[in-house]
Amino acid sequence: MATSQNEKVMEFLTCVICQELYTDPCTLRCDHTFCRKCVTAYIQTRPDFVQSKTIHCAFSRQDTKVPHPSRPVEEWSGQIKPSIIIQGLIDTLGDVPEKSSTCCTICQQLGETTPGALWCPQCEVALCDRCVKTHRVSPTSQNHDLCDLSSRSKVKRRVKCTEHKSNNVEFHCKDCQKPACQTCCIIYHRACKTVVTIESMKPQMKTALLEKRFVMGKRLKVRSKKVEMKNEKIQNSSRSTELTVQNIKSICQTAINKIKEKETQLLDELNHITQTCAGQLRSGVKLEEIEMQMYRQHCEFIDQALVSDCEMDLYDAYQAWESGAVELGDVRDTDTVDTRRIDDIRFTPDTDNVQHILDDLQLGEIDVTYQDEGLCPPSPVLIDTIDGRMADDDRLGPGLKNITVLLVDGIQTVLVSDCRNMCMKSFYTRNSQSGHGRLPLDNSPHGVTQLKENQVMVAVPASRQIVTVEVTPDLVLLSTITTSKEYYSLAVLSPSSLAAGGLDYDGYGIVDILDTAGHVLRSVTEHNDETLFAFPWNMCVNNKGNILVSDWEAESVTCLTSEGDVLWRYAPTGDRTLCCSCGITTTGTGDILLVDRGKVIQLIESGEFVRDVLTSEYDDNDMEDIFCDKYGFFFICTCTEVKVYMLV
């Protein structure tokens, strides 16, 4: 009974992902518990979870939102609440016994609960001591390797053939691209030329999966950057829309204010005319009243004379009118008589004209620019910066010169030569931790080129040496060859030859084709009786095997065949004259990227100018070298750091 209870407790405390006792248990929203490290590993195998910013439960398939998805994926599981109760049970139980109390699978089928002793990974059953003896003498299972129950999760998983049920799948036919058991190889793959064991494919599969993982990581970073840029564009668009709304309202208000101003002018004019008209009318009324008063007085004077009994009063009145002493003249001012008098005031609205003006009124125009994916060249976006400083550097800091990038066991490794500190440096990220390596040399290194998947060759001109370095991704010096000349730039042409650019015995620029021992096979110095090179400090090989030489003194780029024949030369004049051409590389499409005084120039494969891809944010010439990998990322080496860009 105690054994059954212990078994249930251990089952409760076992992670369903790693099948081991919980380590730092955490509980998802669905109340299922896993090891925190298992959650991190599970997220990293599913890019769709990373994009959705959720943690998918490996048991119930329910999603748990990440509180802070902007943080690195490796830190997502750290945001999940810990399982305090389960951790307390684990702490209370202490050490877990090595021997499991799992019951024998065979006995369970017979209705018995006998404790298991060993585990058969081929049959995937637990066996008690009695069944172990039977298992080892049975013809079908006598060769099976049994293991302890506590280590069964670490045993290699066996897959049975779907056709020959008793056989394990152990082979892979590269011709048919199918897995096979031993019987399948005899029956179906006898005529196939390449049938190998799956065990022998392990290094190849691991390398391929590491590269796939690296590519997926790169694509994830690209998509993440694109999402970030588009979100930023959404915010900028929102701000631009708000500004446009304000501008539209402002121009509309300006038009309204102008109409209001016209309204005020009309009302002021109407008020002035109305007051003038009223003044004229009041003045006329006053004059009329004065005349009426005069007429009244005259009438009273005549009336008094008529009622008088004295004939002299009558005579005086008569004589006054007859002599003209009293006149019935107009009392109006002669100045006002000449003034035009307002007779009527009317307003005739120009409705049609106003309507026409309003219809034709243009407050502004909204311009829409459409992005043409086919015609719009991608723009470089900075996604990472690698600091070139190390603890043992000179007090003046690093002096980085040349760069190349390798993929070693799925780990991207950036290699740079440091002239000032006379060493090679490597920078990489392994297990989510940044690392670096350093290899001191006798003198200042310059050009660096990849020799093999994990090896590079480095030119040390002051010592007249070319050294071979292994990248693990730490740096290990493998060999050193001594040359007869000072070489500053290198480019591997084949496993048995390389190109080297430097100075001859007289100090003139030269490009030599060397064997791997450093012997000169042929030299290139002139073309059509003209000197080609002055300081060929940088070079690379394009996808056709031709050599591209960048010469900062000759202000040119020269394309040579591996035999030393000149194919073309880029030496522009005028505004496009090269000022200080140095680093040079090629893209996956065959285009050429050239560093020239703080900017990156793009040329087509035949050496014709396309555009300026990137311009330095500094005034001085801070760019030294450039390298483009096959995934579309390019690395720019400055004196103190390496900047990683992608084209979006």
Side-chain angles (χ1 to χ4, degrees):
M1 183 69 178
T3 301
S4 178
Q5 288 180 347
N6 288 338
E7 182 179 351
K8 290 182 178 179
V9 171
M10 293 308 301
E11 182 179 353
F12 178 73
L13 299 178
T14 300
C15 175
V16 297
I17 296 179
C18 65
Q19 294 296 316
E20 294 180 358
L21 192 69
Y22 285 122
T23 302
D24 191 10
C26 58
T27 302
L28 301 180
R29 185 177 63 87
C30 55
D31 293 328
H32 288 120
T33 303
F34 306 94
C35 300
R36 204 174 294 276
K37 60 179 178 60
C38 293
V39 173
T40 300
Y42 185 63
I43 295 172
Q44 293 176 336
T45 62
R46 300 295 298 271
D48 50 334
F49 299 163
V50 178
Q51 291 182 354
S52 63
K53 302 186 186 307
T54 58
I55 298 176
H56 203 62
C57 177
F59 189 83
S60 66
R61 310 299 180 190
Q62 295 186 35
D63 292 334
T64 299
K65 289 186 177 180
V66 181
H68 304 288
S70 60
R71 299 176 64 180
V73 176
E74 294 79 12
E75 299 180 11
W76 283 11
S77 62
Q79 303 176 35
I80 306 172
K81 63 180 180 179
S83 302
I84 301 174
I85 297 177
I86 293 179
Q87 186 64 56
L89 287 173
I90 295 173
D91 296 338
T92 303
L93 289 174
D95 295 333
V96 182
E98 291 293 328
K99 189 172 181 179
S100 173
S101 58
T102 304
C103 294
C104 174
T105 306
I106 306 299
C107 293
Q108 276 187 332
Q109 294 174 355
L110 299 175
E112 301 177 7
T113 56
T114 309
L118 296 175
W119 172 262
C120 178
Q122 283 90 338
C123 301
E124 296 186 345
V125 293
L127 303 170
C128 63
D129 293 331
R130 182 184 61 188
C131 293
V132 165
K133 296 177 181 179
T134 306
H135 203 72
R136 283 176 171 167
V137 298
S138 174
T140 58
S141 58
Q142 60 183 356
N143 296 324
H144 291 183
D145 295 326
L146 305 182
C147 66
D148 189 75
L149 283 170
S150 61
S151 60
R152 62 182 178 180
S153 61
K154 302 177 182 177
V155 177
K156 295 180 180 179
R157 185 170 63 92
R158 302 292 181 180
V159 178
K160 299 294 184 182
C161 178
T162 56
E163 185 172 349
H164 310 100
K165 307 292 185 182
S166 61
N167 293 351
N168 292 326
V169 175
E170 298 176 333
F171 302 92
H172 175 75
C173 178
K174 291 186 177 181
D175 298 339
C176 304
Q177 290 296 317
K178 290 182 179 180
C181 67
Q182 190 169 7
T183 305
C184 289
C185 292
I186 297 172
I187 298 175
Y188 303 115
H189 303 283
R190 291 195 322 186
C192 297
K193 296 181 180 179
T194 312
V195 178
V196 297
T197 63
I198 294 177
E199 181 70 23
S200 67
M201 293 176 60
K202 187 175 178 180
Q204 175 189 348
M205 292 188 296
K206 186 176 181 180
T207 301
L209 289 174
L210 283 172
E211 184 169 356
K212 290 291 184 185
R213 173 68 179 83
F214 174 76
V215 173
M216 291 300 108
K218 286 281 190 181
R219 291 181 178 176
L220 176 62
K221 184 173 286 188
V222 170
R223 293 296 181 273
S224 176
K225 193 66 179 180
K226 286 186 175 181
V227 169
E228 180 183 337
M229 291 172 61
K230 288 184 178 179
N231 284 333
E232 184 178 353
K233 200 168 184 179
I234 290 173
Q235 294 177 357
N236 292 338
S237 176
S238 178
R239 288 192 290 267
S240 176
T241 300
E242 291 177 2
L243 182 61
T244 303
V245 169
Q246 292 177 2
N247 290 337
I248 291 174
K249 289 183 176 180
S250 175
I251 193 66
C252 287
Q253 189 61 47
T254 301
I256 292 172
N257 292 341
K258 197 65 178 177
I259 294 174
K260 288 286 187 181
E261 184 180 336
K262 292 290 184 181
E263 178 189 22
T264 302
Q265 289 177 356
L266 281 175
L267 292 176
D268 290 345
E269 182 181 357
L270 176 63
N271 183 53
H272 174 70
I273 295 173
T274 303
Q275 289 183 357
T276 301
C277 180
Q280 291 177 350
L281 292 175
R282 282 193 292 271
S283 176
V285 170
K286 187 173 182 180
L287 291 174
E288 295 295 340
E289 289 177 347
I290 292 173
E291 289 186 355
M292 289 171 58
Q293 182 64 26
M294 288 176 55
Y295 293 150
R296 255 188 225 101
Q297 291 176 357
H298 289 319
C299 290
E300 289 177 358
F301 178 68
I302 294 173
D303 288 340
Q304 290 176 1
L306 291 175
V307 297
S308 175
D309 294 333
C310 180
E311 61 276 5
M312 289 304 296
D313 292 337
L314 187 62
Y315 177 78
D316 290 339
Y318 175 77
Q319 282 294 112
W321 282 103
E322 288 297 326
S323 63
V326 178
E327 296 181 359
L328 298 176
D330 197 343
V331 297
R332 292 178 176 85
D333 191 352
T334 55
D335 293 335
T336 60
V337 174
D338 296 334
T339 303
R340 298 185 61 187
R341 304 182 67 83
I342 299 173
D343 182 50
D344 190 14
I345 302 174
R346 294 181 183 180
F347 173 70
T348 305
D350 195 353
T351 307
D352 294 338
N353 189 35
V354 170
Q355 188 66 40
H356 179 71
I357 292 173
L358 291 176
D359 290 341
D360 293 341
L361 180 63
Q362 294 293 329
L363 298 177
E365 186 175 351
I366 298 176
D367 296 325
V368 180
T369 303
Y370 294 93
Q371 183 178 4
D372 193 332
E373 297 290 343
L375 298 178
C376 181
S379 301
V381 176
L382 180 66
I383 61 171
D384 196 11
T385 300
I386 302 172
D387 191 348
R389 293 174 295 182
M390 289 188 180
D392 297 331
D393 281 352
D394 180 87
R395 63 182 182 83
L396 297 177
L400 309 184
K401 196 67 179 177
N402 293 88
I403 184 173
T404 192
V405 181
L406 278 64
L407 188 63
V408 181
D409 294 331
I411 301 174
Q412 179 179 272
T413 306
V414 178
L415 278 86
V416 290
S417 57
D418 190 331
C419 297
R420 181 174 296 154
N421 295 283
M422 293 191 299
C423 67
M424 289 296 299
K425 294 179 177 179
S426 65
F427 301 91
Y428 55 88
T429 300
R430 180 164 49 191
N431 298 328
S432 303
Q433 297 293 325
S434 297
H436 58 79
R438 181 189 182 99
L439 177 64
L441 298 172
D442 294 337
N443 274 300
S444 297
H446 279 255
V448 54
T449 183
Q450 183 174 0
L451 178 62
K452 297 180 181 179
E453 180 184 353
N454 62 339
Q455 292 182 12
V456 295
M457 301 186 79
V458 183
V460 187
S463 302
R464 294 192 175 184
Q465 292 178 338
I466 297 176
V467 299
T468 302
V469 179
E470 183 180 21
V471 184
T472 62
D474 293 318
L475 305 177
V476 180
L477 180 63
L478 294 181
S479 63
T480 301
I481 59 174
T482 302
T483 61
S484 58
K485 304 172 186 176
E486 296 180 359
Y487 294 120
Y488 289 83
S489 58
L490 296 175
V492 172
L493 299 175
S494 68
S496 60
S497 64
L498 66 150
L503 302 177
D504 64 9
Y505 309 108
D506 299 321
Y508 293 103
I510 191 170
V511 172
D512 288 340
I513 308 300
L514 311 177
D515 60 16
T516 53
H519 301 129
V520 178
L521 302 178
R522 51 192 167 276
S523 299
V524 182
T525 57
E526 295 182 348
H527 177 65
N528 294 333
D529 296 329
E530 292 184 5
T531 302
L532 282 175
F533 309 112
F535 293 102
W537 266 209
N538 297 83
M539 65 169 55
C540 70
V541 176
N542 65 12
N543 52 15
K544 293 184 178 180
N546 297 323
I547 309 166
L548 299 172
V549 183
S550 173
D551 192 318
W552 66 269
E553 176 69 19
E555 300 176 348
S556 66
V557 174
T558 305
C559 180
L560 308 172
T561 66
S562 58
E563 301 297 324
D565 298 325
V566 177
L567 295 178
W568 53 262
R569 200 158 186 258
Y570 177 73
T573 59
D575 294 339
R576 301 242 48 103
T577 300
L578 298 179
C579 300
C580 185
S581 61
C582 43
I584 189 168
T585 187
T586 58
T587 68
T589 59
D591 286 349
I592 302 166
L593 297 180
L594 173 68
V595 173
D596 178 50
R597 191 177 289 279
K599 64 182 177 181
V600 177
I601 299 171
Q602 181 181 357
L603 309 176
I604 62 174
E605 192 173 3
S606 59
E608 297 174 13
F609 176 81
V610 178
R611 62 174 175 138
D612 291 333
V613 177
L614 181 68
T615 302
S616 171
E617 59 189 39
Y618 307 107
D619 294 333
D620 60 342
N621 183 12
D622 64 321
M623 298 183 188
E624 294 287 347
D625 197 13
I626 186 171
F627 179 85
C628 185
D629 66 12
K630 63 181 179 180
Y631 308 107
F633 292 78
F634 64 91
F635 303 73
I636 292 181
C637 175
T638 70
C639 292
T640 58
E641 60 190 6
V642 175
K643 298 181 179 181
V644 186
Y645 292 86
M646 68 176 180
L647 295 175
V648 177

